[in-house]
Amino acid sequence: MEVYILPNEEEIGSAIADRIEKLFSANPEANLGVATGSSPLPTYRELIKRVAEGKISFSKSHFFMLDEYVGIAEDHPERYHNVITTEIASQVDVDPANVHGPEGNAPDLAAAVKEYDELIREKGGVDLQILGIGSDGHIAFNEPGGSLVSRTHVDVLTNQTRVDNARFFDGDLDKVPTHCVTQGLGTIMDARELCLVATGEGKAEAVAQMVEGGISALWPATIMQMHPNAHVFIDEAAASKLKLIDYYREIQAARA
Ligand code: GLP
């Protein structure tokens, strides 16, 4: 896992956009894995700018979302498909028909999650997956206690995640859905490159576990230690509980 400690979220967004620009220059048909949450927003702003400047094009790309709430109204602004459309897809040149996500309102959810994994495979897989992390160490909606090799599946949200996400539902916990569909950890690990963003002290424990803890279902993001091409972009606050922080800084300085 490569750790990058950067001064602020703008620099993090810019560093991830650099990797994406490099990838798409080499392969304009690359597929991008997009995440919801506030962490990827500076990256999206930077990508939107670079597409407008003609530095990147997503016109031949497929976007794959990580997760979706179950039972949320199609036109709800917090439906993840709508969030991704608003925050990035509608502002870049990706074909809206090529923006895919697991379907949280399918009549047969068990069939829909299987079809989603097949679609990702059929389109050639995800080349670069942007990720955030929950304060309990979840990635996508893979909550603690689940399988480390799961495929896309229906899951139950923890109370902690619902409390964290209540801010998107007028601060009302009762309005936060209880179930979700999410790419599994095995699905996410199939992406050729992972770029995870975490900022703020609230993520410091999850970051320390992810980078330095034992691989465990208790902290799902620890599975990323098994990925050969995983990059973690964090600010000073999110890095504050890392034991080997000085070593990561040395490596980072040597890379520059
Ligand atoms: C939700 C999403 C995750 C995201 C997490 C953190 O639970 N399903 O994909 O990583 O929120 O969000 P934020 O970046 O806003 O802290």
Side-chain angles (χ1 to χ4, degrees):
M1 225 182 243
E2 285 187 11
V3 178
Y4 300 77
I5 304 164
L6 296 169
N8 54 51
E9 56 172 32
E10 281 72 32
E11 290 204 30
I12 292 174
S14 186
I16 298 177
D18 285 349
R19 298 195 76 86
I20 295 172
E21 186 176 332
K22 200 168 152 211
L23 168 68
F24 278 80
S25 305
N27 176 16
E29 293 181 14
N31 294 327
L32 187 66
V34 287
T36 50
S38 46
S39 305
L41 295 180
T43 303
Y44 296 157
R45 285 197 287 275
E46 189 60 29
L47 291 176
I48 291 162
K49 198 171 117 216
R50 294 190 195 191
V51 169
E53 290 167 353
K55 292 179 179 159
I56 310 180
S57 172
F58 296 117
S59 62
K60 295 179 178 160
S61 177
H62 289 262
F63 283 9
F64 287 98
M65 295 169 45
L66 287 169
D67 46 12
E68 185 60 270
Y69 292 112
V70 167
I72 194 167
E74 297 280 315
D75 60 352
H76 195 295
E78 287 306 322
R79 182 179 168 238
Y80 280 174
H81 211 289
N82 299 335
V83 171
I84 288 297
T85 302
T86 308
E87 299 295 354
I88 176 147
S90 66
Q91 301 190 61
V92 295
D93 58 350
V94 65
D95 181 343
N98 290 349
V99 179
H100 314 284
E103 184 46 74
N105 291 331
D108 183 348
L109 282 177
V113 292
K114 275 203 184 106
E115 279 162 24
Y116 190 60
D117 273 342
E118 277 157 26
L119 181 71
I120 297 174
R121 247 193 314 268
E122 201 180 285
K123 299 296 178 194
V126 171
D127 290 284
L128 187 150
Q129 177 66 57
I130 300 168
L131 291 166
I133 185 169
S135 59
D136 62 359
H138 74 250
I139 49 176
F141 268 141
N142 292 279
E143 298 285 24
S147 159
L148 294 176
V149 293
S150 57
R151 310 306 303 181
T152 302
H153 60 282
V154 182
D155 216 332
V156 179
L157 297 173
T158 60
N159 190 56
Q160 177 66 56
T161 297
R162 294 182 65 238
V163 168
D164 285 352
N165 289 0
R167 67 190 193 278
F168 299 118
F169 293 85
D170 313 318
D172 183 350
L173 190 58
D174 291 339
K175 288 188 186 165
V176 185
T178 55
H179 288 68
C180 63
V181 276
T182 179
Q183 281 193 31
L185 293 173
T187 319
I188 294 169
M189 289 287 286
D190 285 346
R192 294 178 188 95
E193 176 172 353
L194 304 178
C195 286
L196 184 141
V197 188
T199 54
E201 220 185 318
K203 300 288 174 72
E205 180 63 22
V207 166
Q209 293 290 342
M210 167 178 65
V211 178
E212 298 175 334
I215 297 174
S216 155
L218 205 52
W219 295 93
T222 54
I223 192 63
M224 285 175 59
Q225 294 174 24
M226 298 296 287
H227 197 285
N229 196 16
H231 308 268
V232 174
F233 297 84
I234 50 182
D235 65 0
E236 295 286 345
S240 60
K241 293 192 176 164
L242 287 168
K243 293 194 178 75
L244 303 179
I245 188 162
D246 293 338
Y247 180 51
Y248 306 136
R249 287 193 210 281
E250 276 173 41
I251 301 174
Q252 194 174 331
R255 255 188 238 123

